[in-house]
Amino acid sequence: MYRWTDHTINPTGEARAVLRRVLKDLGLSGDVISDGVLAVSELVANAHEHARGPYEVHLRSAAGRYICEIHDGDPLLPMDLYATALSQAEVASVEAATGPLDERGRGLVIVNELARGQWGYHLTDWGTKAAWVVLAEAPAARKPVAPARSMPTCTSRSPRPRW
């Protein structure tokens, strides 16, 4: 759906625009689109900042759900993989320690809230990782995810994971 490299300027904004258009074409509601775009943009920003490229965003339908994956070239899973699945009391203690206006360290908490805990990471068959997030239910009445369109491309296409 979207590819970029370490040298791409504003990959998060470009990924948001592409995903918003695709989700709208699928007929999803405005709230689902907004929440999905925000969650994916956080994962795209994390990949771009903390991993190495090339990077790709994929949208697929599986088990009755639309799932977005953000692939990067880094084989290491984040050390605090699910530390973001914090209770409100734990979030409050983090804010007390870091300050409520701290601009960093909240992205995965946001992803966890928007995805209602339905997100994570997995290792791919190529020895790299992919972050994934469930965006919405994919009722049988909805049309299937369209094949990738001609999108801004900054690197050659890597093989798609087998599911």
Side-chain angles (χ1 to χ4, degrees):
M1 187 171 76
Y2 176 66
R3 296 180 292 262
W4 78 98
T5 70
D6 293 318
H7 304 291
T8 302
I9 297 172
N10 193 21
T12 304
E14 290 182 19
R16 275 194 304 262
V18 170
L19 183 62
R20 185 175 302 281
R21 186 171 50 246
V22 170
L23 296 178
K24 184 177 179 184
D25 288 349
L26 288 170
L28 298 177
S29 74
D31 287 344
V32 169
I33 293 170
S34 294
D35 289 353
V37 167
L38 179 55
V40 170
S41 68
E42 289 292 341
L43 295 173
V44 166
N46 279 357
H48 192 73
E49 182 175 342
H50 300 291
R52 65 177 186 262
Y55 312 89
E56 292 189 1
V57 175
H58 301 271
L59 180 65
R60 62 187 176 88
S61 177
R65 303 177 299 173
Y66 289 121
I67 301 170
C68 192
E69 295 180 330
I70 299 84
H71 294 252
D72 62 51
D74 194 339
L76 301 175
L77 294 176
M79 293 179 71
D80 58 348
L81 186 58
Y82 295 104
T84 59
L86 303 174
S87 70
Q88 289 300 327
E90 291 167 318
V91 170
S93 74
V94 169
E95 286 181 352
T98 62
L101 300 178
D102 196 4
E103 293 182 17
R104 308 211 29 96
R106 300 215 186 343
L108 295 181
V109 172
I110 292 169
V111 171
N112 190 61
E113 289 295 316
L114 293 171
R116 295 173 187 85
Q118 297 183 71
W119 69 280
Y121 293 86
H122 67 89
L123 294 176
T124 68
D125 292 340
W126 300 276
T128 60
K129 77 171 169 300
W132 59 270
V133 61
V134 174
L135 300 180
E137 297 299 313
R142 287 212 174 107
K143 56 188 173 186
V145 174
R149 303 178 205 176
S150 177
M151 300 293 169
T153 301
C154 299
T155 184
S156 62
R157 185 168 183 85
S158 64
R160 295 181 68 104
R162 285 172 274 156
W163 290 95

